[in-house]
């Protein structure tokens, strides 16, 4: 079993139905190409989800193609296509799913009064007839059929029972009860699932599934309540993406089950260490950053800035962490140095950066650090190194950005370039001119030439902060250097220097951690004999 998989041995297995590529992708601003969907599906497969809803084959040729490619290339989870309760949709889904080792057609039909009248113009008996016809037909086009009573939460209970009975008796193996409009509450959905499980006849061979939207911010809580009442499948999407306010965030439910086994005691087949990579991949592909304070996968989810918290975490992480960053596949912890930080955290970071400071000098550094933190908020390592060097007199061994100029040319013949001037105590001022796909990219290339470190940009985020009178740009960059991640940050008045300075900041961290000199070469350890000769 892979690290992170959660088995409690109770025998009650909860299946995860991932609809990132269907419900998630259909939300405005989240579209993905077939190639990207394929990469995401492979990542979801690594994560260990049980079902991947790869798209809605009848919606467009592109969707059909994506479903088909995922069906052909991803094996492990069942591959599913959404389908309306019509012959054409079912055929399109069946065709796209042909290459799958395990295939599922997911038929949905509105059952609530508002859907029956305003959208479908169908009577109750017409709805039941359509369910019977479509589920029976879909059985011969795939391995298993799921039926969703769309807008189940606002459907009359007696009719919902009839609709689900009809689906189960026609051969549906999964009976999904969606809260299509994100209207329900934990108590209400618990009561509904308990009622349905007790009253739907002919569902012995089927499982009940929950699919909650987040319009009132209750999707995860509602899904958990449905599980408590007996649902055996949870539907949702990574990062909670989906129609309107989104779907249930699957990573949150996964970590609830993994962290609160005492409360739920269910088995899941999830490798939780793949959660963070899946979340990052999705965010990068769709160009939608994950909110900093998002549960589980936000940048602050494992970051500590307050002095009291940092002191506790440095002594024993469990003081303020109920899960570890490693549990979700996030390397390292994040003690953020800012105005709320205390001396313990400052001393620990200084030590990591190679400074041995006695208590008196630490006290002096701390005073300057607090003044700097008041001005800048979060303090980057490069700033800290400069500060410690300034206060203690030890030489700072980092690059600083002195000047950047660029040409932002655009067009077929255009060749953007940047001229960057960096300074290092061991090399003085060094200038490089480089080209790139764009001016920022060209500037990054120039920094790489000068520092001798090659890096790929994993993330780059630039935000305007401040209010009337004064606005600054904060740039955050995540670089991959020799298989490791390094963050950099900068705050300046303009976008361009902010981006380049953050890049230099991350390069400085990489050089310190990988023990590189000002040319990017590995620093040689000074042997005692050499030291004596030098003296
Ligand atoms: O929210 C919803 O009702 C859906 C169905 C298609 C299951 O996404
Ligand atoms: Zn939905």
């Amino acid at each position: 079993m892979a690290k992170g998989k959660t088995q409690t041995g109770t025998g009650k297995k909860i299946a995860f139905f991932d609809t990132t590529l269907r419900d998630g992708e259909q939300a405005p601003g989240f579209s993905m190409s077939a190639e990207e969907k394929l990469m995401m599906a492979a990542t979801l497969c690594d994560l260990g989800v049980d079902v991947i809803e790869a798209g809605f084959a009848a919606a467009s040729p592109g969707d059909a193609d994506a479903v088909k490619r995922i069906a052909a290339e991803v094996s492990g989870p069942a591959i599913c296509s959404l389908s309306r309760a019509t012959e054409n949709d079912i055929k399109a889904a069946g065709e796209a799913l042909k290459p799958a080792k395990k295939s599922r057609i997911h038929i949905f039909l509105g059952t609530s009064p508002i859907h029956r009248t305003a959208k479908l113009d169908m009577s109750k008996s017409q709805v039941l007839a359509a369910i019977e016809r479509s589920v029976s037909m879909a059985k011969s086009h795939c391995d298993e059929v799921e039926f969703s009573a769309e807008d189940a939460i606002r459907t009359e209970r007696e009719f919902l029972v009839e609709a689900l009975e009809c689906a189960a008796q026609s051969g549906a193996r999964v009976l999904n009860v969606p809260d299509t409009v994100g209207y329900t509450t934990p108590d209400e959905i618990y009561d509904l699932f308990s009622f349905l499980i007790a009253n739907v006849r002919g569902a012995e061979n089927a499982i009940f599934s929950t699919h909650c939207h987040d319009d009132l911010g209750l999707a995860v809580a509602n899904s958990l309540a449905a599980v408590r009442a007996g649902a055996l499948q949870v539907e949702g999407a990574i990062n909670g993406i989906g129609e309107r306010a989104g779907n249930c965030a699957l990573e949150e439910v996964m970590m609830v089950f993994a962290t609160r086994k005492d409360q739920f005691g269910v088995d899941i087949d999830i490798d939780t260490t793949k959660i963070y990579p899946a979340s990052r991949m999705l965010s990068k592909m769709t160009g939608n950053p994950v909110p900093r304070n998002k549960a589980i996968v936000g940048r602050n989810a494992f970051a500590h800035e307050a002095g009291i918290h940092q002191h506790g975490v440095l002594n024993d992480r469990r003081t303020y962490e109920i899960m570890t960053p490693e549990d979700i596949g996030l390397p390292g912890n994040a003690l953020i140095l800012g105005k709320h930080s205390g001396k313990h955290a400052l001393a620990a970071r200084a030590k990591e950066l190679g400074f041995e400071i006695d208590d008196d000098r630490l006290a002096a550094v701390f005073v300057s650090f607090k003044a700097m933190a008041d001005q800048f908020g979060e303090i980057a390592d490069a700033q800290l190194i400069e500060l410690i060097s300034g206060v203690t007199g030890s030489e700072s061994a980092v690059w600083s950005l002195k000047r950047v100029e660029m040409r932002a040319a655009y067009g077929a013949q255009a060749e953007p370039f940047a001229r960057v001037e960096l300074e290092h105590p061991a090399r003085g001022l060094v200038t490089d001119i480089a080209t790139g796909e764009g001016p920022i990219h060209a500037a990054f290339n120039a920094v790489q030439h000068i520092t001798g470190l090659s890096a790929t940009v994993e993330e780059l985020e630039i935000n305007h902060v401040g209010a009337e009178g004064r606005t600054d740009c904060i740039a955050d960059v995540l670089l991959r250097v020799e298989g490791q991640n390094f963050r950099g940050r900068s705050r300046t008045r303009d976008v361009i220097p902010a981006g380049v300075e953050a890049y230099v900041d991350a390069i400085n961290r990489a050089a310190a951690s990988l023990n590189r000199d000002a040319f990017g070469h590995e620093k040689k350890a000074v042997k005692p004999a050499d030291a004596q000769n030098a003296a």
Side-chain angles (χ1 to χ4, degrees):
M1 190 169 63
K3 183 171 175 279
K5 283 205 173 184
T6 300
Q7 300 272 332
T8 59
T10 59
K12 184 171 164 186
K13 158 89 167 57
I14 302 298
F16 283 100
F17 176 107
D18 183 284
T19 185
T20 305
L21 302 176
R22 196 279 299 168
D23 206 322
E25 203 256 356
Q26 83 192 35
F30 287 90
S31 50
M32 288 171 246
S33 67
E35 200 60 43
E36 288 169 334
K37 284 185 169 186
L38 186 61
M39 279 166 67
M40 195 64 213
T43 301
L44 293 169
C45 176
D46 284 351
L47 176 61
V49 303
D50 301 271
V51 185
I52 295 176
E53 189 165 46
F56 183 174
S60 74
D63 246 37
D65 179 50
V67 175
K68 196 170 194 161
R69 288 181 65 185
I70 292 169
E73 293 179 42
V74 178
S75 59
I79 307 300
C80 174
S81 169
L82 187 65
S83 164
R84 281 167 296 197
T86 65
E87 192 174 337
N88 281 350
D89 271 29
I90 293 168
K91 283 189 176 154
E95 188 54 38
L97 289 170
K98 259 190 193 148
K101 294 211 172 56
K102 210 188 306 164
S103 58
R104 181 183 293 189
I105 295 181
H106 176 191
I107 293 175
F108 72 103
L109 186 60
T111 50
S112 65
I114 183 82
H115 277 236
R116 293 194 312 262
T117 53
K119 191 178 86 169
L120 300 169
D121 193 19
M122 284 167 93
S123 65
K124 284 182 179 172
S125 52
Q126 285 173 316
V127 168
L128 294 177
I131 295 174
E132 208 237 293
R133 219 178 22 248
S134 57
V135 172
S136 310
M137 180 185 170
K139 273 192 305 185
S140 57
H141 290 269
C142 61
D143 297 321
E144 55 196 17
V145 179
E146 167 166 339
F147 173 73
S148 278
E150 194 188 9
D151 203 15
I153 294 294
R154 294 190 297 171
T155 301
E156 308 89 324
R157 279 198 175 186
E158 297 65 32
F159 183 58
L160 184 57
V161 169
E162 273 189 78
L164 295 176
E165 272 176 5
C166 173
Q169 287 160 18
S170 306
R173 289 288 155 263
V174 181
L175 302 176
N176 191 31
V177 183
D179 181 15
T180 304
V181 289
Y183 181 67
T184 196
T185 64
D187 287 348
E188 185 184 60
I189 199 171
Y190 178 88
D191 190 54
L192 178 65
F193 270 77
S194 307
F195 174 80
L196 293 173
I197 291 168
N199 290 287
V200 173
R201 288 162 302 157
E204 300 72 29
N205 296 323
I207 62 164
F208 284 82
S209 166
T210 176
H211 175 116
C212 295
H213 279 267
D214 208 29
D215 300 66
L216 293 174
L218 291 172
V220 170
N222 290 337
S223 304
L224 294 172
V227 167
R228 272 202 185 288
L232 291 179
Q233 176 178 280
V234 177
E235 302 196 359
I238 299 297
N239 296 345
I241 71 170
E243 281 285 359
R244 304 180 311 281
N247 276 97
C248 163
L250 281 190
E251 69 279 5
E252 295 181 19
V253 179
M254 290 166 182
M255 287 313 292
V256 170
F257 291 155
T259 311
R260 299 308 308 269
K261 291 178 192 149
D262 58 326
Q263 290 288 308
F264 289 89
V266 295
D267 289 346
I268 57 175
D269 268 341
I270 295 297
D271 179 351
T272 61
T273 65
K274 300 288 171 15
I275 286 179
Y276 188 74
S279 162
R280 286 294 130 174
M281 173 180 273
L282 179 65
S283 143
K284 274 171 70 182
M285 261 177 197
T286 60
N288 288 287
V290 174
R292 231 184 138 112
N293 63 336
K294 160 89 179 62
I296 314 296
V297 287
R299 258 183 72 195
N300 278 8
F302 294 93
H304 308 278
E305 182 180 326
I308 296 168
H309 289 208
Q310 290 183 334
H311 187 195
V313 170
L314 285 167
N315 287 344
D316 185 333
R317 284 160 66 162
R318 289 171 301 176
T319 46
Y320 288 100
E321 279 182 3
I322 57 165
M323 321 162 252
T324 69
E326 291 80 10
D327 287 339
I328 63 149
L330 175 65
N333 87 341
L335 288 191
I336 304 293
L337 288 185
K339 64 178 180 177
H340 305 293
S341 303
K343 265 200 203 123
H344 294 280
L346 178 65
R349 179 61 60 79
K351 197 166 175 205
E352 270 169 31
L353 293 170
F355 293 96
E356 290 293 344
I357 323 179
D358 60 33
D359 285 351
D360 287 348
R361 289 196 302 168
L362 180 65
V365 169
F366 192 60
V367 172
S368 308
F369 163 77
K370 282 281 179 177
M372 189 184 234
D374 266 337
Q375 193 189 344
F376 287 98
E378 201 176 303
I379 301 297
D381 281 356
Q383 287 171 296
L384 188 62
I385 291 170
E386 294 235 11
L387 186 141
I388 297 174
S389 309
V391 176
T392 63
S394 34
E395 201 176 56
S396 78
V398 296
W399 289 102
S400 50
L401 177 66
K402 290 294 161 200
R403 192 183 177 94
V404 55
E405 293 168 53
M406 37 181 71
R407 185 175 72 186
Y410 181 76
Q413 302 302 319
E415 204 176 11
F417 73 83
R419 181 177 177 281
V420 173
E421 201 171 281
L422 299 185
E423 189 172 32
H424 190 283
R427 286 183 60 194
L429 276 179
V430 187
T431 302
D432 189 87
I433 296 177
T435 55
E437 284 158 27
I440 285 251
H441 185 229
F444 292 169
N445 285 341
V447 175
Q448 293 191 55
H449 297 160
I450 295 173
T451 59
L453 285 174
S454 334
T456 47
V457 179
E458 294 286 305
E459 287 168 22
L460 173 62
E461 213 178 292
I462 302 183
N463 292 301
H464 268 281
V465 294
E468 300 127 29
R470 184 184 165 107
T471 55
D472 282 343
C473 291
I474 290 192
D476 284 290
V477 70
L478 179 71
L479 297 188
R480 193 136 185 96
V481 185
E482 297 176 17
Q484 292 184 48
N485 288 344
F486 298 95
R487 286 202 176 278
R489 176 167 246 245
S490 164
R491 178 174 183 148
T492 64
R493 293 304 296 275
D494 191 46
V495 179
I496 288 171
V500 182
E501 207 170 77
Y503 189 94
V504 173
D505 187 39
I507 285 282
N508 279 327
R509 281 188 189 208
S513 159
L514 301 169
N515 199 29
R516 297 307 157 84
D517 65 14
F519 294 89
H521 301 146
E522 192 143 7
K523 280 189 200 157
K524 292 201 179 65
V526 182
K527 292 187 221 124
D530 295 343
Q532 270 167 22
N533 292 343

